[in-house]
Amino acid sequence: MKIARLTCFILAVAVVFLTAGAAQAAMKTQWIDYKQGNTALAGYLIYDDAAQGRRPGVLMIHDRSGFSENTLADAQMIAKLGYVVFAEDIFGKGIVPKDVPEMTKQITIYNNDRALMRARAVAGLDVLKAQPIVDATKLASVGYCFGGTVGIELVETGAPLLGFVSVHGSFNKFVPEAAKNIKGRVLILHGAEDPVAPIEEVTSLVSQLRAAKVDFELNLYSGTTHGFTRPQNPSEVRADDEYKVAMTRFFKDILSR
Amino acid sequence: MKIARLTCFILAVAVVFLTAGAAQAAMKTQWIDYKQGNTALAGYLIYDDAAQGRRPGVLMIHDRSGFSENTLADAQMIAKLGYVVFAEDIFGKGIVPKDVPEMTKQITIYNNDRALMRARAVAGLDVLKAQPIVDATKLASVGYCFGGTVGIELVETGAPLLGFVSVHGSFNKFVPEAAKNIKGRVLILHGAEDPVAPIEEVTSLVSQLRAAKVDFELNLYSGTTHGFTRPQNPSEVRADDEYKVAMTRFFKDILSR
């Protein structure tokens, strides 16, 4: 019995290592050029090439830094969950703000022109839907920071997403009654001490979602400021762990049916 | 290789069944008489007798229905996670309200006399701590509904709990500055459409916890009214699942260190 259990344990460890190795080796990435109106855009596609058949797709919406290393790392993390991830481009091909003033300049363009924000968001979703490896009936989205604003605007267009995850998203200037267009679920993962997107923005969004009877869940983390996915204190380390668990469970719940 | 993996699978299944069987067979329960002042109280102790050594303890605080079947079932669920659970008695030995007016009468006594509420809560904690099988350095608490009020009052006494979980708790009449006495973490699991403990009560408690820099997390479930642990609609079925996952993770995090 003891030898059999030891064999079992060794086998299990071997399977875990082999699987992990295979998955990493087969992670495929590709930059895809596309357009919204006359604007050239370039998004980042990433998925596990070892998997077979069509898979659920996750549209990722970058934060104010655009296609930073963090954006690509987060896209990879989500792709490893088994989804085809397309990190769409909101700012335009080659536009990567190099400092905070440049970031603010970029996001202000879209925060003040919500029709343009929506059009950019939809353009990326169309690219994801068109991928031959994507099951277009199983789509979700995730947005970080500024990408939280874009993500809410996107679901408020009535886009056919089964769910949207906001990770320290900023929420402002939504047309309140637009929440009734949301078709899927919304998961809001937020720091209670976020100075960029203060708790009052969350409270306001929650009111709109409640009024529209949208299916949502809010996880609010104490002692946590903005950008907790790059944690600065022990509370944010935990928030970073918790958000990954919550997001993974959420995607599994809506995309694995 | 295939035979070895099949053997491994069969062994694993066998282990799961044997373990589950053993755990259920060994679940031990006991009613314990104790006192607070001159008032006779009787609480319900439940734990897995098969486990060895001292284990973390969880103080459970009943809802307005007192020791209903639900209370005992929830105590068993938590005991199965590997903790010694003591469901303390707030109302007094033998007092089990038979209808809503009787429930309201009972909880009103304690809602209006917070010193008494605290004394009752502490008395039960003392019983749990005194159990020879309990590791008194690893204590947590969980309160349902009215038990949420009691649980917050208890942690605001400065009780040495590593954490408290409120499940559709009602929150009112707290002395705001008392939150600074809270030593452990707080997990609030709440329905966004709770008419008994409306979202404004949660917002108010969150403000107090933030001001006192208490380590907390709030999970807010849409479409969910009060008492979602006995779900009435699909949103509440999910909230019931989600709360168990969140509570289990929370207890593991604080009690398994």
Side-chain angles (χ1 to χ4, degrees):
Chain A
M1 181 70 177
K2 273 189 180 171
I3 291 172
R5 288 181 71 175
L6 183 63
T7 310
C8 178
F9 176 74
I10 293 168
L11 272 173
V13 170
V15 167
V16 167
F17 271 85
L18 287 169
T19 314
Q24 279 171 3
M27 199 58 71
K28 188 165 174 178
T29 65
Q30 181 189 350
W31 286 93
I32 297 180
D33 286 330
Y34 63 111
K35 280 195 164 186
Q36 179 271 313
N38 291 319
T39 305
L41 303 163
Y44 180 76
L45 187 76
I46 179 166
Y47 58 95
D48 180 354
D49 200 24
Q52 297 296 313
R54 288 176 180 263
R55 278 151 281 163
V58 174
L59 181 74
M60 189 175 148
I61 312 171
H62 59 68
D63 62 24
R64 64 181 185 172
S65 67
F67 284 100
S68 66
E69 283 182 14
N70 293 341
T71 303
L72 304 190
D74 290 335
Q76 185 179 59
M77 172 187 70
I78 297 167
K80 283 182 176 174
L81 300 176
Y83 310 117
V84 178
V85 177
F86 183 61
E88 67 173 350
D89 182 7
I90 304 297
F91 296 160
K93 184 172 180 174
I95 298 179
V96 181
K98 64 175 186 299
D99 52 25
V100 171
E102 284 194 12
M103 292 176 192
T104 305
K105 186 181 163 194
Q106 278 299 318
I107 66 173
T108 302
I109 296 169
Y110 305 93
N111 281 334
N112 289 341
D113 185 346
R114 307 306 273 245
L116 181 61
M117 181 188 275
R118 287 177 170 219
R120 288 283 160 90
V122 169
L125 179 60
D126 288 343
V127 173
L128 176 66
K129 279 158 68 175
Q131 299 303 311
I133 49 168
V134 168
D135 176 352
T137 67
K138 292 185 176 172
L139 300 174
S141 181
V142 56
Y144 292 75
C145 168
F146 164 72
T149 319
V150 181
I152 293 291
E153 284 288 345
L154 176 60
V155 290
E156 290 188 348
T157 66
L161 294 161
L162 297 175
F164 168 64
V165 183
S166 166
V167 187
H168 49 73
S170 53
F171 308 122
N172 52 58
K173 298 188 182 174
F174 299 130
V175 177
E177 53 271 32
K180 72 178 188 307
N181 299 323
I182 299 176
K183 291 193 164 71
R185 287 167 56 184
V186 174
L187 176 63
I188 304 167
L189 307 171
H190 211 88
E193 306 304 328
D194 189 331
V196 176
I199 198 167
E200 290 75 18
E201 287 189 8
V202 178
T203 305
S204 171
L205 176 61
V206 162
S207 295
Q208 293 173 20
L209 298 177
R210 287 179 64 210
K213 298 194 186 306
V214 172
D215 200 331
F216 76 90
E217 184 176 333
L218 162 67
N219 290 8
L220 189 70
Y221 310 116
S222 70
T224 299
T225 65
H226 196 69
F228 57 78
T229 48
R230 314 295 153 197
Q232 306 285 323
N233 67 40
S235 291
E236 291 175 7
V237 169
R238 196 166 65 227
D240 185 41
D241 285 343
E242 289 290 316
Y243 112 82
K244 286 173 190 159
V245 171
M247 180 173 69
T248 302
R249 283 174 41 77
F250 181 79
F251 281 152
K252 190 175 176 190
D253 197 21
I254 61 174
L255 298 175
S256 303
R257 288 167 192 271
Chain B
M1 181 68 180
K2 272 189 180 169
I3 291 170
R5 289 181 69 175
L6 183 62
T7 309
C8 174
F9 175 74
I10 292 167
L11 271 171
V13 170
V15 167
V16 167
F17 271 83
L18 287 168
T19 313
Q24 280 174 2
M27 199 59 68
K28 188 165 175 177
T29 66
Q30 181 189 349
W31 285 93
I32 297 180
D33 285 332
Y34 64 110
K35 279 195 166 188
Q36 180 270 312
N38 291 321
T39 305
L41 303 163
Y44 179 75
L45 187 75
I46 178 166
Y47 58 96
D48 180 353
D49 200 24
Q52 297 296 315
R54 288 177 181 263
R55 277 151 283 165
V58 174
L59 181 74
M60 190 174 145
I61 313 171
H62 59 67
D63 61 23
R64 63 180 184 173
S65 66
F67 283 101
S68 65
E69 282 182 16
N70 292 341
T71 303
L72 305 189
D74 290 335
Q76 184 179 58
M77 172 187 70
I78 297 167
K80 283 184 177 175
L81 300 176
Y83 310 118
V84 178
V85 177
F86 183 60
E88 67 173 349
D89 182 7
I90 304 298
F91 296 159
K93 184 172 179 174
I95 299 179
V96 181
K98 66 176 185 297
D99 53 25
V100 172
E102 283 195 10
M103 292 177 192
T104 304
K105 185 181 163 194
Q106 277 299 318
I107 66 173
T108 302
I109 296 170
Y110 304 93
N111 280 334
N112 289 340
D113 185 347
R114 305 308 272 246
L116 180 61
M117 180 187 276
R118 285 177 172 221
R120 289 283 159 91
V122 169
L125 179 60
D126 288 343
V127 173
L128 176 66
K129 278 157 70 177
Q131 299 303 311
I133 49 168
V134 168
D135 177 352
T137 67
K138 292 185 177 174
L139 300 174
S141 181
V142 55
Y144 292 75
C145 169
F146 164 72
T149 318
V150 181
I152 292 290
E153 284 289 344
L154 176 61
V155 290
E156 290 188 349
T157 66
L161 294 161
L162 297 175
F164 168 65
V165 183
S166 166
V167 187
H168 48 74
S170 53
F171 309 121
N172 52 58
K173 297 189 184 172
F174 299 129
V175 177
E177 53 269 32
K180 71 178 187 308
N181 300 323
I182 299 176
K183 290 193 165 72
R185 287 166 57 184
V186 175
L187 176 62
I188 304 166
L189 308 171
H190 211 88
E193 305 306 327
D194 189 331
V196 177
I199 198 166
E200 291 74 18
E201 288 188 8
V202 178
T203 304
S204 171
L205 176 61
V206 163
S207 294
Q208 294 173 18
L209 298 178
R210 288 178 64 209
K213 297 193 187 304
V214 172
D215 201 331
F216 76 89
E217 185 177 332
L218 162 67
N219 291 7
L220 188 70
Y221 310 117
S222 70
T224 299
T225 65
H226 195 68
F228 57 78
T229 48
R230 314 295 154 200
Q232 305 287 322
N233 66 40
S235 292
E236 292 175 9
V237 169
R238 196 166 67 228
D240 184 42
D241 285 343
E242 288 289 315
Y243 113 82
K244 286 173 191 160
V245 171
M247 181 174 67
T248 301
R249 282 174 43 76
F250 181 79
F251 282 151
K252 189 174 176 191
D253 197 20
I254 62 174
L255 299 175
S256 304
R257 286 168 191 274

